[in-house]
Amino acid sequence: MTTLLFYKNLVALDSELHRNLRLAPMDQFRFAADATALPVVVGEFADLARQNALAFLRAQDGELVPVALVGLPGGKNLYLDKKGQWTAPYVPAFVRRYPFVFAQTGPDQLTLCVDRDCKQLGPKAGERLFDDQGQPTPRVQQALALLAEFQRQHAQTRSFVQRLDGAGLLMQAQADARLGDGRQLSLQGLLVVDENKLRDLPADTLKAWAHSGELGLVYAHLLSLGHLVELLRRQPAATPATATPQATPQS
């Protein structure tokens, strides 16, 4: 995976350079066809746990990243149909924010950027990003609000996973499935919460996590793991027998 997955050509949004740039409706998600593990934030756990397996991966820099699994490494996003439509009720925020994203351009400084390679961006069709006075249109203001909320929840997510990691609750896990055609598939390299260690946490820690809502996040993650076998069963015939996902930071 690249750091930003499907973002290819990031540029800072500029009211002069991009005065006439327009964004057509994002009515399909083909740009995410090769994404198989999507970074998520804590506010999404409840919605995603109903449809995706949620696990944790460790990035090369050591950062722990919660992800929604939508396919196997080297494969395709199985939550997209042939028309590029998302086939589950909830579309992760990492996908919905596209083609916009914040880039850190200095200490405590974020700059709004777009993927200039986005097929819905152009001078002709869609809603303008800036008006004649160079002010952001409602479409850009909507994107800013989504990104600001994502950034806020990203900070909460980092605190949550650091507490899990610090408490020693995470363990390596593997999902296996034997398919009807005789194939046996395995998904390795996942980190999940060890329920035995969770039960052994001090009572005051469990009480504090229950009060903060973090215990609910843990149980949403644990319940979501029931989707792992179904994910393996949905793999096409060319899928490798063993797959190990990699993490990408929640940029």
Side-chain angles (χ1 to χ4, degrees):
M1 282 191 224
T2 58
T3 300
L4 282 168
L5 292 178
F6 31 77
Y7 291 86
K8 306 299 182 185
N9 181 20
L10 285 183
V11 298
L13 204 55
D14 185 281
S15 60
E16 292 298 327
L17 293 176
H18 304 124
R19 180 69 61 89
N20 297 317
L21 195 61
R22 295 174 179 267
L23 180 64
M26 300 294 295
D27 54 1
Q28 51 83 17
F29 302 95
R30 287 193 176 92
F31 60 85
D34 294 324
T36 57
L38 297 167
V40 300
V41 291
V42 291
E44 305 181 279
F45 270 46
D47 288 316
L48 287 168
R50 298 183 178 97
Q51 63 187 43
N52 298 96
L54 302 177
F56 303 89
L57 301 175
R58 200 173 297 279
Q60 292 183 350
D61 62 1
E63 180 180 354
L64 197 62
V65 182
V67 295
L69 299 174
V70 295
L72 293 190
K76 293 293 183 179
N77 184 340
L78 298 177
Y79 283 73
L80 291 182
D81 63 18
K82 294 181 179 179
K83 295 181 179 180
Q85 299 299 306
W86 208 268
T87 59
Y90 181 82
V91 181
F94 196 93
V95 175
R96 284 186 284 114
R97 66 182 188 168
Y98 185 83
F100 300 98
V101 69
F102 278 146
Q104 188 164 354
T105 53
D108 301 320
Q109 180 177 343
L110 297 172
T111 298
L112 180 62
C113 297
V114 292
D115 183 359
R116 199 60 185 86
D117 286 359
C118 173
K119 293 181 179 180
Q120 283 79 13
L121 278 174
K124 297 181 179 180
E127 184 178 352
R128 288 179 64 178
L129 301 186
F130 296 98
D131 62 22
D132 291 337
Q133 288 71 46
Q135 297 301 309
T137 62
R139 182 65 184 87
V140 173
Q141 293 170 359
Q142 179 186 24
L144 283 168
L146 174 61
L147 291 171
E149 178 60 16
F150 189 90
Q151 192 70 19
R152 184 186 70 81
Q153 290 197 27
H154 172 50
Q156 294 179 341
T157 304
R158 289 189 66 183
S159 297
F160 168 61
V161 297
Q162 286 170 359
R163 271 189 281 279
L164 289 182
D165 209 14
L169 292 185
L170 297 174
M171 66 176 183
Q172 292 279 343
Q174 176 174 315
D176 301 292
R178 184 178 294 278
L179 307 190
D181 59 8
R183 287 181 298 149
Q184 185 165 347
L185 299 182
S186 178
L187 181 59
Q188 302 176 343
L190 303 174
L191 291 171
V192 302
V193 169
D194 185 327
E195 291 188 72
N196 291 325
K197 291 182 178 179
L198 178 65
R199 285 191 289 267
D200 290 339
L201 282 178
D204 58 344
T205 299
L206 288 171
K207 183 178 180 180
W209 286 14
H211 182 73
S212 67
E214 291 174 317
L215 192 58
L217 298 174
V218 171
Y219 282 116
H221 149 67
L222 290 171
L223 288 171
S224 79
L225 296 178
H227 297 297
L228 277 174
V229 172
E230 179 59 28
L231 183 68
L232 291 172
R233 286 175 177 161
R234 294 172 67 177
Q235 302 307 310
T239 302
T242 302
T244 303
Q246 297 177 332
T248 184
Q250 297 181 51
S251 300

